[in-house]
Amino acid sequence: MFEVEEMDIVTKVLKTAAEQAKQFKSINVEKHLELEYDLGTLLAVDSNDLDLKQMRSESNRDEYLKDLARDNTQLLLNKIWELPIERVEEAIVAKLPAPTFVLPREKPLPKPKPLTKWQKYAREKGITKIKKSKLNWDETLQKWVPHYGFKRAAADKEKSWLLPVPDNADPNEDQFSKLSETKSENVAKNEFQRLRNLAKAKNIKIPRVGFLSVDKLNSKQLGEAVSVAKFSTASLGKFQGNLAKEKQAKNIKALLPSSKKRKPAPLTPVEEKKSNFDILDSILSKKPKLDIEKAVNRVLNTEQRERAAEKKNQKRGRKKMKGGKKGKDTGKRTGVKPKGGKGSRKPRGKMGRKRR
Amino acid sequence: MPVIQRVVKPTTHRAKRALQAREPKLVENAKNTLFIKGRKTSVIVANCMKDLYDIKKPHGKILNKLNNIVPFENITPIEEFSKKNDASMFMFTSHNKKRPHNLILGRMYDSHLLDMVEFGIEHYKGLKEFKTQKVSLGIKPCLLFAGELFEHNHEYKRIKSLLIDIFQREIVQAVRLQGLEHVLMFTAAEDRIYFRSYRIQMKKSGSRIPRIELEEIGPSFDLKLRRTKISSDDLFKLACKRPKELKVKKVKNISKDTFGTQHGQIHIPKQNIDKLQTRKMKGLKKTASEKEEQRKRKSDSVDKETNDDNAVKKMRM
């Protein structure tokens, strides 16, 4: 009796469960091939074959696609629901993994910023930057003055209302203009270094000094070039015709090989007198100069010549005596035989004329 | 010789920030899409573009003028647009007798064209023609791809990548489960790609995971593949290069036990006891003379060694 009752309960429970299952539709989907998922991009790829018959018929296609989409979505969401879940401000949130589907980047990878000349040097030497406070206490002004930036220039101006003249300086020199000049020079130097660093970073060659040549000339520069080129003939452009509406470039005199040379300004009577006297002085005060080296050389030269002449005489005498022995002990061979205007002959083997 | 171009620094902080936002980054911004009209468009194609813009919204920009551009003949004007607007994706619409209802999808790398695909739009049904509740704006859609073409055909693989790139929106770390509302489905069959868009309805299923039902919200159209211009594999690979810094390093010598306690393993080489510094004492300190002696001994021994070496050399000789 009791057993029967128990069986009844079991069947009842099973029945209700089955009914409930019937009430709700299933969340399971059967697929021939499993889908590929990338939960990071919320992506599912279904590589199963499509029902081409359904796809071709226009009336059934939309229904078929919708069913397919539903199944695939169900599968994708089933996977997402398995992810670790958090509660953030009353919303249930699933933590997504990093996307696995590789997509191309929008821009190339960032390159490290090229070091400036100073940074490179500092790295080599191990020099590190010391952090300075922005405000410094100024003793003369008795207040905090910024190291750079806003209010710094004003503080400088306030501080240097009076400047000392150094002991060895020209008392008439304007110290204020000197200060501003050094400052502007510093600024220019900084800018030059910045540009040099930039050029180096972009691998552009620049001359060490002077100006850059320009690839593209502007109209003014082109006009100047034409004018100069026209003037640069043997006849100084006398026979060069003009084009219609051609204009002569201005301020190109410095570039032209012109016959007129700039004369210096006329001298004042005092200056003229002085220069003339200078010339006179230089003439009158001429003394013979003694260049010892030159003198010694001269003496040596004459001695050498005398000796050579003596030797020559001796040789001649001997030759006469012995009757032309060829090169036995003729001493030093000079190898010089004068030949009619053709210079010296090289000493090689026999000397003298051809003998038969 | 190259001329140094004038290097102009941004004068305001705002301009500086704007320029910095455009610079290449390790983790990139979400890609922007430009919507460009050709010299003539049809109603269908214009509406289609508008619908796609609605799907893309915060990351899209419509250029309203008609442009005399033929992308498959000369892409440079689009590349210039892309550079100017900092948008690496584009959709281009046109309409003519030869190619009616034309839609071109494309993307750039380093402001140069990477991929570009031309489609003809058929069976267009707009977003407004479906009288249903729409999804909320700017939501990340689920993307579904069906059809074996997307797996096996090289061209279709690229098209899949392009479509994901266009419609995936920004990369997120987490997603609100109730916020999964939108599904975009691309089905490839017989030289057509079917674009469908659905809203997700979650129903009770008797378990934790809900039963999904879909409702079509539009737009819906069929894309017929026309011309394509797909980048070489080398360039694509270059564009897909991941930064080294973002690669996850392997964690070594760290483990966790069953209770969740972290354990670290440390490897130490054998200690050199000879050079161990013991306690310093004044009494053990060497005097100056002792130090000198030691130095002398050292130098002597070195000399001897060198002499010995010489001797050995001589022997060998």
Side-chain angles (χ1 to χ4, degrees):
Chain A
M1 229 3 230
F2 189 71
E3 268 181 24
V4 171
E5 256 179 37
E6 205 170 55
M7 282 294 286
D8 272 356
I9 292 166
V10 169
T11 48
K12 226 180 187 178
V13 168
L14 282 174
K15 226 179 183 180
T16 49
E19 266 173 25
Q20 234 170 11
K22 252 185 218 169
Q23 204 183 343
F24 300 123
K25 282 175 187 166
S26 162
I27 58 162
N28 297 325
V29 180
E30 290 288 317
K31 281 274 173 183
H32 187 63
L33 288 172
E34 214 181 302
L35 307 194
E36 285 172 36
Y37 303 98
D38 177 11
L39 300 182
T41 39
L42 302 180
L43 168 75
V45 180
D46 181 4
S47 48
N48 287 298
D49 283 341
L50 299 167
D51 189 349
L52 285 179
K53 207 175 165 189
Q54 300 259 26
M55 290 297 290
R56 274 173 201 158
S57 80
E58 276 197 22
S59 52
N60 293 345
R61 190 192 296 141
D62 277 353
E63 253 334 281
Y64 172 70
L65 284 178
K66 194 176 172 182
D67 284 347
L68 188 69
R70 195 219 76 80
D71 287 355
N72 289 345
T73 314
Q74 180 77 62
L75 285 168
L76 179 64
L77 290 203
N78 288 357
K79 285 275 172 193
I80 290 170
W81 249 258
E82 283 168 18
L83 292 172
I85 282 169
E86 278 180 3
R87 206 184 177 86
V88 180
E89 291 170 8
E90 294 185 15
I92 296 164
V93 158
K95 267 189 129 184
L96 293 179
T100 51
F101 193 89
V102 178
L103 289 169
R105 283 175 65 89
E106 185 180 21
K107 281 160 196 165
L109 295 173
K111 282 175 195 149
K113 218 175 173 187
L115 295 177
T116 63
K117 202 173 176 181
W118 162 250
Q119 281 170 336
K120 220 172 170 184
Y121 178 77
R123 182 172 281 184
E124 270 172 26
K125 296 285 177 188
I127 302 166
T128 47
K129 220 174 178 178
I130 300 163
K131 192 152 190 180
K132 289 177 195 162
S133 63
K134 197 175 174 188
L135 288 174
N136 291 329
W137 179 254
D138 198 312
E139 285 294 336
T140 48
L141 290 180
Q142 288 295 309
K143 66 176 177 187
W144 291 95
V145 168
H147 187 53
Y148 60 88
F150 182 54
K151 284 182 176 173
R152 160 67 202 254
D156 257 2
K157 215 174 181 182
E158 200 181 336
K159 201 175 160 187
S160 59
W161 62 276
L162 184 69
L163 287 175
V165 178
D167 286 340
N168 52 358
D170 179 13
N172 293 329
E173 200 179 25
D174 184 3
Q175 294 299 324
F176 288 99
S177 69
K178 200 180 166 191
L179 190 71
S180 73
E181 204 171 282
T182 49
K183 169 138 192 173
S184 67
E185 253 169 38
N186 262 335
V187 171
K189 188 188 165 199
N190 252 335
E191 180 65 9
F192 173 71
Q193 285 179 336
R194 185 179 80 88
L195 291 175
R196 195 177 54 192
N197 279 324
L198 271 173
K200 202 166 186 195
K202 294 197 171 176
N203 215 359
I204 300 168
K205 270 186 188 168
I206 47 167
R208 211 172 264 178
V209 285
F211 294 104
L212 288 169
S213 69
V214 186
D215 266 358
K216 236 180 175 181
L217 299 170
N218 60 25
S219 63
K220 197 186 164 195
Q221 286 165 324
L222 278 172
E224 279 172 6
V226 166
S227 300
V228 171
K230 268 176 81 177
F231 204 79
S232 306
T233 59
S235 45
L236 297 179
K238 198 177 176 186
F239 304 108
Q240 305 298 312
N242 281 328
L243 292 170
K245 288 183 182 175
E246 190 187 327
K247 277 180 189 171
Q248 178 84 18
K250 284 171 188 171
N251 303 328
I252 52 163
K253 252 186 183 171
L255 301 170
L256 295 180
S258 97
S259 53
K260 278 179 193 170
K261 268 182 190 165
R262 222 180 180 198
K263 281 178 189 165
L267 296 168
T268 57
V270 181
E271 279 173 335
E272 198 179 356
K273 199 178 172 185
K274 201 194 159 221
S275 76
N276 286 341
F277 266 114
D278 282 349
I279 294 167
L280 189 67
D281 273 351
S282 71
I283 293 167
L284 289 180
S285 67
K286 253 185 185 170
K287 282 174 195 165
K289 277 178 195 168
L290 181 66
D291 191 343
I292 291 177
E293 209 177 328
K294 207 174 177 184
V296 168
N297 280 342
R298 197 172 277 178
V299 169
L300 284 176
N301 198 20
T302 49
E303 273 179 11
Q304 225 168 21
R305 246 185 229 168
E306 273 169 21
R307 232 180 290 148
E310 219 171 277
K311 240 179 205 172
K312 228 177 187 179
N313 286 337
Q314 272 183 3
K315 240 190 255 171
R316 247 177 225 163
R318 239 189 311 182
K319 255 183 191 174
K320 269 176 190 169
M321 280 197 308
K322 291 188 176 177
K325 258 188 186 175
K326 49 174 183 183
K328 205 179 178 186
D329 69 319
T330 42
K332 260 187 198 169
R333 269 185 197 170
T334 50
V336 179
K337 195 200 176 195
K339 229 189 158 192
K342 282 187 181 175
S344 61
R345 237 178 79 174
K346 277 183 182 169
R348 124 174 79 109
K350 289 168 186 173
M351 293 287 296
R353 66 182 175 81
K354 200 174 178 186
R355 277 163 251 268
R356 285 159 225 243
Chain B
M1 200 179 76
V3 180
I4 296 183
Q5 284 169 341
R6 259 182 52 175
V7 187
V8 187
K9 277 192 199 167
T11 40
T12 58
H13 277 283
R14 194 177 179 187
K16 194 180 170 187
R17 260 180 280 137
L19 284 180
Q20 271 173 350
R22 282 171 174 232
E23 274 172 7
K25 290 172 195 156
L26 273 185
V27 179
E28 296 197 300
N29 311 336
K31 290 182 181 180
N32 279 328
T33 309
L34 276 185
F35 294 83
I36 308 166
K37 284 179 189 168
R39 51 189 154 198
K40 197 180 146 197
T41 54
S42 64
V43 178
I44 286 178
V45 95
N47 285 343
C48 180
M49 193 171 85
K50 200 88 194 296
D51 290 348
L52 290 175
Y53 171 69
D54 280 340
I55 290 174
K56 283 260 1 164
K57 218 162 207 175
H59 298 299
K61 190 176 182 186
I62 283 194
L63 303 183
N64 277 320
K65 267 187 192 168
L66 298 179
N67 298 288
N68 190 2
I69 299 172
V70 192
F72 274 88
E73 276 158 38
N74 182 17
I75 191 69
T76 39
I78 292 185
E79 284 177 348
E80 272 162 26
F81 277 142
S82 145
K83 200 170 187 184
K84 192 180 166 194
N85 291 294
D86 193 28
S88 64
M89 324 276 280
F90 69 89
M91 288 192 198
F92 181 89
T93 52
S94 61
H95 176 70
N96 54 38
K97 197 172 172 187
K98 193 173 179 186
R99 296 192 183 83
H101 314 303
N102 210 27
L103 173 72
I104 299 175
L105 305 182
R107 63 179 159 191
M108 313 275 182
Y109 170 65
D110 197 10
S111 70
H112 290 291
L113 183 74
L114 194 66
D115 298 329
M116 177 163 70
V117 191
E118 191 177 45
F119 296 109
I121 294 174
E122 292 167 353
H123 306 296
Y124 171 74
K125 222 177 153 193
L127 198 66
K128 280 169 190 161
E129 285 170 57
F130 292 89
K131 305 285 182 209
T132 53
Q133 190 193 339
K134 307 293 181 201
V135 293
S136 24
L137 187 83
I139 213 163
K140 191 176 165 88
C142 298
L143 300 175
L144 300 177
F145 284 82
E148 45 94 44
L149 267 176
F150 280 129
E151 282 300 292
H152 303 304
N153 189 321
H154 178 71
E155 217 166 45
Y156 275 78
K157 265 187 200 170
R158 267 307 163 76
I159 293 171
K160 183 174 85 173
S161 158
L162 179 65
L163 289 171
I164 292 171
D165 217 351
I166 290 179
F167 291 105
Q168 72 144 350
R169 293 188 167 278
E170 65 260 72
I171 293 158
V172 292
Q173 264 75 45
V175 68
R176 193 168 64 92
L177 289 180
Q178 293 305 310
L180 292 168
E181 285 182 45
H182 195 196
V183 175
L184 289 177
M185 165 107 157
F186 304 91
T187 317
E190 295 177 325
D191 83 334
R192 274 185 179 72
I193 294 173
Y194 300 91
F195 180 101
R196 299 286 181 274
S197 154
Y198 305 99
R199 190 167 68 84
I200 297 177
Q201 292 167 326
M202 293 179 191
K203 299 275 159 73
K204 272 181 194 168
S205 71
S207 75
R208 199 174 68 88
I209 302 169
R211 158 90 188 177
I212 303 301
E213 292 295 339
L214 294 182
E215 185 185 13
E216 188 155 10
I217 54 166
S220 121
F221 46 84
D222 307 344
L223 296 168
K224 187 170 189 298
L225 188 60
R226 282 175 184 160
R227 290 175 290 177
T228 56
K229 204 175 207 174
I230 279 169
S231 67
S232 67
D233 284 344
D234 290 343
L235 180 62
F236 191 76
K237 204 177 164 191
L238 181 76
C240 286
K241 206 174 172 190
R242 302 283 105 182
K244 248 186 206 169
E245 291 87 334
L246 289 187
K247 273 176 193 159
V248 183
K249 260 193 181 176
K250 203 178 160 189
V251 181
K252 277 180 173 177
N253 301 327
I254 292 173
S255 56
K256 262 185 187 176
D257 65 4
T258 42
F259 304 108
T261 325
Q262 216 173 28
H263 292 286
Q265 200 177 356
I266 300 169
H267 301 276
I268 300 173
K270 204 177 173 188
Q271 198 176 3
N272 191 358
I273 306 168
D274 300 341
K275 283 182 181 173
L276 196 70
Q277 177 67 59
T278 50
R279 194 171 168 190
K280 288 174 181 171
M281 271 189 287
K282 249 189 182 172
L284 292 175
K285 222 176 186 180
K286 276 167 190 159
T287 59
S289 59
E290 270 177 333
K291 265 185 192 171
E292 203 164 296
E293 215 167 72
Q294 197 183 6
R295 214 177 295 143
K296 229 179 218 173
R297 223 181 297 145
K298 223 177 206 176
S299 65
D300 274 358
S301 70
V302 169
D303 280 353
K304 234 184 204 175
E305 261 176 37
T306 51
N307 284 337
D308 287 352
D309 278 357
N310 287 339
V312 168
K313 269 179 198 167
K314 271 173 193 168
M315 291 277 280
R316 272 179 197 159
M317 292 280 273

